[in-house]
Amino acid sequence: VAAGTFHDTGVQCTSNFMAVYPYDEANVIKDSVLTATIPAVQQLASGSPIAPGAVVSVAKSADKNLAFHNCMAVFKLTIPRDDIKKVEICSYSKEDVLAGQFTVDMKKDVDVVPVSEQCDSVITLLPAGASFAPGSYYASFLPGTHNGINIRFTNLKDETVTIAQKDIITYRVNEG
């Protein structure tokens, strides 16, 4: 949870403040409902372990102090080699969505609801350059229950290795 405070004392407000981070014209709050997107393709920026714009957070407050809460779950990957050019996280079922458009009713707790016609069951994580440096990286995805996932690593020679997690697992906001 991150927090922020407005320091303008000239503003008086009779309703709640609502905010979304990061700023993106596609992230919209209307009638206390946030509509935003977890990207299906998450490309890292140089030196960053998570893609810009992949972490969507919301805040609401009756005063000028905002506590931001993440809208997504986070998957940590450790890549021990320097020849991996792509990682794909795939649901076993197309109904188990990982990325795409979602809504949050900000009158309630952070309850993320995927907009099914705007969602994808695969997340592709790409490095900033030609391949990942050895280290830990993060992919954000929509929380929910999944009937198993595959993690597919592709190297610079286009060879793939797949790791299967066949158990039913529930990912919650801020967990992974």
Side-chain angles (χ1 to χ4, degrees), residues 11-32:
V11 175
Q12 291 194 352
C13 186
T14 58
S15 63
N16 288 330
F17 288 99
M18 295 180 196
V20 60
Y21 177 85
Y23 170 77
D24 186 322
E25 288 183 12
N27 294 341
V28 176
I29 299 173
K30 182 177 180 185
D31 298 326
S32 298

Side-chain angles (χ1 to χ4, degrees), residues 38 42 50 54-56 70-76 89 97-98 102 110 112 123 138-144 146 170-176:
I38 300 292
Q42 299 179 18
I50 193 163
V55 178
V56 178
N70 290 337
C71 295
M72 74 294 152
V74 177
F75 199 92
K76 180 180 179 181
I89 302 168
V97 296
L98 295 172
F102 65 91
V110 179
V112 176
I123 290 178
Y138 301 88
S140 71
F141 59 97
L142 293 167
H146 301 277
T170 298
Y171 293 102
R172 293 179 178 81
V173 173
N174 293 320
E175 293 182 5

Side-chain angles (χ1 to χ4, degrees), residues 1-101:
V1 176
T5 302
F6 292 102
H7 296 288
D8 182 4
T9 58
V11 175
Q12 291 194 352
C13 186
T14 58
S15 63
N16 288 330
F17 288 99
M18 295 180 196
V20 60
Y21 177 85
Y23 170 77
D24 186 322
E25 288 183 12
N27 294 341
V28 176
I29 299 173
K30 182 177 180 185
D31 298 326
S32 298
V33 175
L34 163 70
T35 301
T37 301
I38 300 292
V41 176
Q42 299 179 18
Q43 182 152 18
L44 303 176
S46 182
S48 177
I50 193 163
V55 178
V56 178
S57 301
V58 296
K60 67 178 179 178
S61 178
D63 60 27
K64 293 185 246 178
N65 298 306
L66 295 172
F68 284 84
H69 300 274
N70 290 337
C71 295
M72 74 294 152
V74 177
F75 199 92
K76 180 180 179 181
L77 300 161
T78 300
I79 299 175
R81 303 166 27 171
D82 65 359
D83 67 337
I84 303 298
K85 71 175 185 178
K86 176 171 64 172
V87 178
E88 294 169 295
I89 302 168
C90 313
S91 292
Y92 275 6
S93 169
K94 290 190 184 274
E95 289 78 36
D96 294 345
V97 296
L98 295 172
Q101 193 174 65

Side-chain angles (χ1 to χ4, degrees), residues 141-156:
F141 59 97
L142 293 167
T145 299
H146 301 277
N147 295 306
I149 59 169
N150 285 329
I151 305 169
R152 186 170 40 241
F153 298 87
T154 304
N155 68 17
L156 293 170

